[in-house]
Amino acid sequence: MGSHRRLVPTSGFNRGAGTALCVLSAATAALGAVPAHAAPHTDTKAEVDRLYEEAEKATQAYDKADETAATLRREVGQAQDGIARQQQRINTMRDALGSLAGAQYRSGGIDPTVALLFSDDPADYLDKASTLDRISAHQAGRLRELRSALRELAQERAEAAGKLAELQKSRTAVAAHKKTVERKLAKARQLLNSLPFGQRAAYDRASRSGGGGIPDLSGVVPPDARVAAAIAAARSALGRPYVWGATGPSGFDCSGLMQWSYAHAGVHLPRTSQEQRFAGRQVPLSQAQPGDLVVYRSDASHVAMYVGNGQVIHAPYPGAPVRYDRVNMMPVSSVTRV
């Protein structure tokens, strides 16, 4: 983050896979506590800040691409099921028409028009209006039904092929954004590992603790039961680790925590902080109520939940567990009432 962060003591810190990023934004807050003789490393603070912000932007892009891929996977599955059902329908229709042909053969031979039922393109036969008077109305009706089914099947196959192509593009985007996040984090880790042990230790401590204390929210009353449920869910996640790309319950990124918390209130939020920004009515920060989503930075790359008394709950950054922070911990771009 930036030096404006006021870190709060939490428990249950987990040094799991997400801790590869543990110093990304912690560096900013920690440097504020480094003695004056460490001033030559102030450029480290700025660089780690920049890497953290870029990693968080890439995380939100990853979240969106991953969500799109999941949606497309469901749609492709549904399309394939539809194709299978349509093919079965066509097979049943062909079987029925085959029975008709067999009956004609047993009664003295197959009418040439019926033989055309089993061509690769029976629709071509129907398009020749001059021959329609050679088959019965019943036969013509079945042929038309088969032609319609074949056309529907061709359209469904084309749509499925398009969705498969979209899915491949989305998978490529997911992989690209993942590489971007990992590259930013690896660069930040390399930079911080080059610092003296004492300063690295300060970064690590700052990612887990601070002097803010647990805020007094005893007088805060949520505006309704739905918001109360969302806040209760967010508070139950306190201390769980930040894991980029995660939506809980064992770990979260910033927008994943908001989505998970409001799901407990029966409300579906979009996946990314940029989309959550428009998931309700925007209000001034001065009118913020418990349960409002507070979106940060001009690019809306971070989001938190306002809980009252100038405090928010959020998943800050890798290495820092879900916790309370002051609402003005960084520049606020908007406040959304869900």
Side-chain angles (χ1 to χ4, degrees):
M1 289 294 177
S3 58
H4 46 270
R5 278 193 177 277
R6 296 192 180 179
L7 307 179
V8 177
T10 57
S11 60
F13 177 70
N14 187 326
R15 288 178 175 266
T19 58
L21 287 178
C22 71
V23 291
L24 283 180
S25 272
T28 303
L31 279 172
V34 173
H37 60 73
H41 295 292
T42 54
D43 56 340
T44 300
K45 169 185 177 297
E47 178 66 2
V48 172
D49 261 349
R50 184 184 68 81
L51 289 169
Y52 171 76
E53 291 191 19
E54 290 179 356
E56 189 156 31
K57 291 176 187 177
T59 295
Q60 292 301 305
Y62 168 89
D63 289 345
K64 179 59 179 177
D66 191 51
E67 180 185 49
T68 299
T71 299
L72 287 169
R73 280 194 296 270
R74 289 193 297 270
E75 291 178 354
V76 166
Q78 292 168 356
Q80 291 173 336
D81 289 344
I83 288 171
R85 287 193 298 270
Q86 186 72 322
Q87 186 64 64
Q88 181 60 44
R89 178 187 173 207
I90 288 171
N91 292 342
T92 300
M93 293 168 65
R94 285 186 181 276
D95 289 344
L97 289 170
S99 298
L100 174 62
Q104 288 197 355
Y105 177 78
R106 288 190 296 273
S107 64
I110 299 178
D111 189 301
T113 60
V114 176
L116 289 175
L117 295 175
F118 305 100
S119 66
D120 290 336
D121 187 9
D124 181 61
Y125 174 65
L126 278 179
D127 288 337
K128 299 175 182 178
S130 61
T131 64
L132 285 176
D133 59 350
R134 297 173 60 190
I135 61 176
S136 69
H138 181 65
Q139 291 171 336
R142 288 195 172 185
L143 278 170
R144 289 190 179 93
E145 187 178 358
L146 178 58
R147 177 178 66 175
S148 176
L150 287 168
R151 286 177 175 172
E152 290 176 10
L153 179 60
Q155 181 178 352
E156 289 177 5
R157 282 176 172 163
E159 291 175 354
K163 290 185 183 298
L164 281 169
E166 289 181 43
L167 177 57
Q168 185 55 47
K169 289 181 181 179
S170 187
R171 284 173 172 166
T172 300
V174 168
H177 293 310
K178 181 178 181 180
K179 287 181 180 178
T180 298
V181 174
E182 291 173 341
R183 186 172 63 251
K184 300 294 183 184
L185 302 183
K187 186 175 179 181
R189 185 167 58 249
Q190 181 181 23
L191 177 65
L192 293 169
N193 284 343
S194 69
L195 294 175
F197 174 80
Q199 291 187 30
R200 291 202 308 273
Y203 290 134
D204 185 55
R205 287 194 302 272
S207 71
R208 289 175 287 154
S209 62
I214 302 300
D216 179 12
L217 301 173
S218 57
V220 175
V221 179
D224 55 48
R226 184 193 62 168
V227 170
I231 293 176
R235 294 182 70 172
S236 74
L238 288 168
R240 298 182 196 177
Y242 180 108
V243 179
W244 69 271
T247 58
S250 58
F252 305 88
D253 62 21
C254 66
S255 56
L257 176 61
M258 299 301 102
Q259 187 181 60
W260 181 84
S261 297
Y262 261 102
H264 282 71
V267 178
H268 174 72
L269 289 182
R271 179 62 183 92
T272 68
S273 55
Q274 289 87 356
E275 295 170 311
Q276 290 174 4
R277 181 179 193 173
F278 302 106
R281 178 170 59 91
Q282 294 191 1
V283 298
L285 178 59
S286 60
Q287 298 177 17
Q289 295 179 0
D292 289 351
L293 304 181
V294 182
V295 181
Y296 295 91
R297 306 193 189 105
S298 59
D299 60 359
S301 58
H302 190 75
V303 63
M305 181 184 294
Y306 188 70
V307 291
N309 289 353
Q311 300 290 320
V312 295
I313 290 178
H314 68 140
Y317 46 83
V322 175
R323 70 186 187 201
Y324 293 105
D325 263 316
R326 294 189 62 80
V327 69
N328 61 350
M329 60 184 171
M330 68 179 89
V332 174
S333 62
S334 64
V335 177
T336 299
R337 185 155 299 154
V338 179

